[in-house]
Amino acid sequence: HRAAELVRLLQREQGGLGITEGDVLCVKLAGLVHDLGHGPFSHLYEGFLKRVAATMDDQSPAKRALAGWKHEDMSCRMLDYIL
C-alpha cells in the first residue's frame, strides 16, 4: 500500500519520469512479494529465530539455517515455489 502511494505521488508530481500504470502495478507487486516471507509478527520473528538458534549446538544444521534466516530470502523461495 505504501509503495503504491509513493509511486502514485511520483507519477503525479514528477510527470517527466514517465511512470506508467504498468510501473505502478510492478511496484505494487514488488511490495506484496517482499512481504511473502514475513513470519508471524513481522520482523520480531527474525529476532526470535536468531535467539532460538543461539541456544542450539554449534554443529547443528538447524542452528546455521535459523541464524541466517531472512524474510527476504524466504520471500524469494516462496515466489519460486508459487511460480
Side-chain angles (χ1 to χ4, degrees), residues 11-61:
Q11 186 184 43
R12 191 172 50 253
E13 302 294 327
Q14 300 290 325
L17 294 175
I19 296 172
T20 67
E21 288 303 310
D23 295 329
V24 173
L25 179 60
C26 285
V27 169
K28 286 179 179 180
L29 290 172
L32 290 172
V33 168
H34 167 82
D35 287 341
L36 282 177
H38 278 287
F41 305 107
S42 191
H43 293 277
L44 293 174
Y45 187 65
E46 290 179 47
F48 168 75
L49 290 178
K50 289 178 182 171
R51 285 193 304 280
V52 168
T55 68
M56 298 175 139
D57 180 82
D58 286 339
Q59 302 304 315
S60 167

